[in-house]
Amino acid sequence: LQPDVILSDICMPGTDGILFSQKCRDLLPKARIIIITGYNDFEYVRSSLRAGVFDFLCKPVQTKELGDAMQRAVDAIRGERDKSSQDTQFLEEMRENLPALRDLYLNDIFLGKKDAEGAALKLSEYGMAVNPKAQSGLQIAVLGTAQLLEDHTLSLSMKEESESFFREDRYIYVMSDSFGRTVVISNETEIAFESYIELLVQMMEAKYHCRIMAGVSDRYDGFDDLYETYGDALHAMQKE
């Protein structure tokens, strides 16, 4: 039994309403407790409030007075549940939107709109796996074709193919930049990243029957160098 509203007298055999209320609050912290008493004394009121009592009624209690107190308790419970439901919905929406927010943040860095200082912590907050042991291990590959701006389906397919290719690599993240190119961010130090990208490009060229240009950056110190690493990968791609 887990009541939402508890109605209690201040005087009961073997205990009193204040002690009873304290025990109720320990067991049922969300319940609303209404105390009925024959004492109209400030100390009783203060003790009741300390015990977590929601309302305090003095005898003789009128029907309307009791009804009003019950309604206030019900309204308070509904308000708390509505807020809890809204908070849960907000958290769910935040989780659903994290990938989009993460990509927006990264693209702002790539375009020079945001400073990359502290990016590792920020990306962790956005749910991206950041390798805490990696030193001088950040690399970026940029993949694109001449048709990307005209063919959004190809852009999406290349991104999904790259995600599938690297799905077992925890510290590799795949996204699209602001121009529809596939960007592969590697914070993984134990793989031959360039060789993996070459293999991925060969697979996608055979599958989509188009020439894919790819540029791989040098290794950089970490996520504070995201802007430089992305620029280096772009420069390498444009040299093809």
Side-chain angles (χ1 to χ4, degrees), residues 2-3 9 11 41 53 104 111 114 163 201 221-222 232-233 236:
Q2 294 203 353
D9 199 301
C11 295
D41 184 272
V53 171
L104 181 63
L111 294 172
K114 272 188 169 58
E163 286 174 331
V201 168
D221 288 340
D232 191 12

Side-chain angles (χ1 to χ4, degrees), residues 30-240:
K30 293 184 179 180
R32 298 304 192 273
I33 304 168
I34 299 173
I35 290 287
I36 298 175
T37 180
Y39 304 99
N40 188 7
D41 184 272
F42 176 73
E43 283 303 318
Y44 278 101
V45 174
R46 186 165 65 178
S47 298
S48 297
L49 292 175
R50 284 177 177 172
V53 171
F54 176 75
D55 215 338
F56 187 92
L57 303 177
C58 291
K59 298 176 182 178
V61 179
Q62 302 298 316
T63 302
K64 184 179 184 309
E65 185 182 9
L66 178 58
D68 289 345
M70 293 291 288
Q71 187 60 55
R72 286 194 295 273
V74 170
D75 290 344
I77 292 167
R78 285 176 176 167
E80 186 177 87
R81 287 178 179 172
D82 287 345
K83 184 179 184 302
S84 177
S85 177
Q86 289 170 2
D87 289 346
T88 300
Q89 183 180 355
F90 174 75
L91 289 173
E92 288 176 355
E93 290 175 353
M94 278 294 293
R95 278 192 290 268
E96 290 174 0
N97 290 324
L98 273 180
L101 293 171
R102 183 168 57 224
D103 288 2
L104 181 63
Y105 172 70
L106 284 165
N107 273 311
D108 279 349
I109 291 175
F110 295 158
L111 294 172
K113 294 180 180 180
K114 272 188 169 58
D115 194 303
E117 185 177 356
L121 177 59
K122 190 73 173 177
L123 289 169
S124 294
E125 292 172 353
Y126 280 134
M128 182 172 167
V130 175
N131 189 349
K133 298 179 181 179
Q135 293 182 351
S136 300
L138 181 68
Q139 278 186 287
I140 288 179
V142 180
L143 288 68
T145 72
Q147 296 88 4
L148 279 182
L149 290 177
E150 302 169 1
D151 191 343
H152 296 290
T153 302
L154 177 59
S155 174
L156 181 60
S157 296
M158 286 178 58
K159 176 177 176 288
E160 291 175 347
E161 193 76 28
S162 301
E163 286 174 331
S164 177
F165 185 84
F166 287 109
R167 67 178 177 273
E168 300 297 330
D169 298 286
R170 183 183 179 192
Y171 298 118
I172 292 182
Y173 180 67
V174 179
M175 59 175 288
S176 295
D177 69 8
S178 299
F179 304 95
R181 295 172 296 221
T182 297
V183 178
V184 184
I185 303 172
S186 173
N187 194 211
E188 180 60 77
T189 58
E190 297 182 1
I191 67 168
F193 186 58
E194 295 93 335
S195 298
Y196 275 62
I197 294 298
E198 286 177 10
L199 179 58
L200 174 62
V201 168
Q202 290 171 12
M203 290 171 56
M204 289 198 294
E205 285 183 335
K207 183 172 183 176
Y208 300 117
H209 307 289
C210 65
R211 181 174 180 271
I212 295 174
M213 297 173 290
V216 181
S217 73
D218 290 332
R219 287 186 181 271
Y220 283 74
D221 288 340
F223 283 94
D224 284 0
D225 296 320
L226 271 169
Y227 177 76
E228 292 81 6
T229 313
Y230 173 75
D232 191 12
L234 270 185
H235 181 67
M237 185 184 75
Q238 289 163 359
K239 286 197 300 184
E240 285 205 354

